[in-house]
Amino acid sequence: MKKLSRRTPVALLAVGALVATLTACTSDSSDTTVTVLTHNSFELPSSLIEEFTAETGLKVDFVASGDAGQLSSVVSLSAGKPKGDAVFGIDNTFAARPIEAGALDPYTSPLAGEGADRYAVPDSENELTAIDHGDVCINIDEQWYDREGIPAPTGLDDLKDPQYANQAVLLDPATSSPGMSFLLATIGTYKDKAPDYWRALMDNGAQVVSGWEIAYNQLFSAGEGHGTKPIVVSYASSPAATPGTRALLSGCFAQIEYIGVLRGAANVDGARKVIDWMLSPQVQAALPTSMYVYPVREGTPLPQNWRLRAPAPQYTVTMSPQYINANREAWLKDWRATVR
């Protein structure tokens, strides 16, 4: 099993230090260099990056800058004086922040009409271009339930059932991007009754940890750490890499990742070329096996094991980035008051 790697904790307290670090390490952009700020889980085959350089003459410098929340904060705090030319990895739970801060320049790629435009930030001026989507869902260890002789849960409501007591590990939405997505999934599903649902999960012994790596790779019974929890917050795509697991495809949140040109970039033309390249058939086809996300380009083939074991949900909870941004702090306050 390939070790999965997802979003690291948001760690917003470290944003100021990270901004200073990026200021010190940013390369001198020129017509032949494009600096792209990314989240820590960014990965593409080196052969694709080399082909881009050979075709365009542009060297791409990818700078890991934290998870989606930290990345959006870094970009927002440096609006107009960017630490790079483009940014990749801000998702729809944080997209409104850099847009409202005026940290991004509008750009519409000629390839956006191949599918990316379906995931555009509503009521925006195309400051961000969708590159991939990865639905956050509850994952279960089917082999654990087979061994224990217990019927596996089939939906969010089941997690409140006493027969699933002490089996779930959740993610703190204040420190985890997929944790925030799960919070939004429950709000979209249960509306104003969401705090009652969170309380029921805690009463049933759910454990909350700071980040996905701890939950999946240490505590999840099917993860590499062979933990004791057969229920975990992860992605609809995770079962493609973890045999014997399944995503519950109801109550999922649609997470979308974007790329954008940073306002004040030294190499705007190069940044736009990188956006076009990220929407190309070659890069889109590489996304599932590189970062375990679904491509946005229509007709992009998925690996065989994805078709069999990681189908996308038929229905997902969706919310506009502006709505999330306007209500985030109130929701987190409710979460903290409920989950002690």
Side-chain angles (χ1 to χ4, degrees):
M1 183 187 73
K2 179 178 178 179
K3 177 183 176 181
L4 293 183
S5 177
R6 283 288 181 180
R7 310 296 174 255
T8 56
V10 174
L12 291 179
L13 292 178
V15 168
L18 181 56
V19 170
T21 300
L22 285 175
T23 302
C25 72
T26 299
S27 61
D28 292 332
S29 294
S30 68
D31 290 342
T32 59
T33 301
V34 186
T35 300
V36 182
L37 309 185
T38 73
H39 57 54
N40 289 345
S41 297
F42 175 82
E43 184 178 347
L44 281 176
S46 58
S47 59
L48 283 179
I49 300 171
E50 291 167 0
E51 288 174 8
F52 175 77
T53 297
E55 292 174 2
T56 64
L58 294 170
K59 175 188 175 184
V60 187
D61 183 17
F62 295 104
V63 180
S65 309
D67 105 321
Q70 190 171 359
L71 185 61
S72 68
S73 294
V74 167
V75 168
S76 300
L77 288 172
S78 58
K81 298 179 180 179
K83 313 307 172 185
D85 301 302
V87 57
F88 168 78
I90 293 173
D91 66 30
N92 52 318
T93 66
F94 292 99
R97 184 181 296 174
I99 291 176
E100 292 177 3
L104 301 160
D105 272 344
Y107 173 62
T108 302
S109 170
L111 300 180
E114 301 296 326
D117 53 358
R118 294 187 299 133
Y119 300 91
V121 177
D123 300 319
S124 71
E125 297 181 1
N126 294 317
E127 294 94 340
L128 289 168
T129 300
I131 297 298
D132 63 70
H133 62 99
D135 305 303
V136 174
C137 308
I138 289 291
N139 278 219
I140 61 169
D141 181 354
E142 291 187 300
Q143 293 182 342
W144 188 94
Y145 287 102
D146 288 342
R147 290 194 302 269
E148 296 295 322
I150 302 172
T154 60
L156 293 181
D157 278 348
D158 289 346
L159 273 58
K160 302 182 295 182
D161 193 312
Q163 71 175 327
Y164 303 115
N166 305 311
Q167 295 177 19
V169 57
L170 311 178
L171 307 176
D172 188 341
T175 57
S176 167
S177 180
M180 173 57 71
S181 291
F182 178 71
L183 182 82
L184 298 175
T186 62
I187 291 170
T189 301
Y190 297 103
K191 308 298 189 292
D192 58 350
K193 300 296 184 182
D196 295 334
Y197 177 73
W198 307 333
R199 188 173 297 107
L201 293 184
M202 301 310 297
D203 289 344
N204 206 32
Q207 181 178 354
V208 179
V209 298
S210 62
W212 183 92
E213 291 281 352
I214 296 172
Y216 200 95
N217 287 328
Q218 297 181 30
L219 299 179
F220 186 39
S221 55
E224 66 170 11
H226 303 291
T228 62
K229 305 290 186 180
I231 302 171
V232 68
V233 173
S234 195
Y235 291 78
S237 55
S238 298
T242 312
T245 67
R246 176 168 57 90
L248 305 185
L249 299 182
S250 61
C252 301
F253 182 80
Q255 190 179 69
I256 305 163
E257 290 187 323
Y258 298 96
I259 191 170
V261 179
L262 293 169
R263 183 170 64 84
N267 193 347
V268 173
D269 184 62
R272 291 174 175 176
K273 288 180 179 178
V274 169
I275 294 175
D276 297 343
W277 171 68
M278 290 287 287
L279 291 175
S280 69
Q282 299 92 327
V283 172
Q284 288 286 296
L287 291 173
T289 52
S290 296
M291 290 188 282
Y292 289 91
V293 289
Y294 300 97
V296 296
R297 187 183 178 99
E298 294 175 346
T300 302
L302 294 175
Q304 182 65 27
N305 61 337
W306 278 55
R307 290 193 291 270
L308 295 174
R309 298 178 48 223
Q314 293 294 312
Y315 167 79
T316 55
V317 172
T318 60
M319 297 180 189
S320 75
Q322 295 88 342
Y323 183 69
I324 295 170
N325 203 44
N327 292 279
R328 183 195 320 275
E329 291 307 316
W331 290 332
L332 287 175
K333 182 178 179 181
D334 290 343
W335 168 269
R336 287 189 289 265
T338 303
V339 180
R340 300 181 184 275

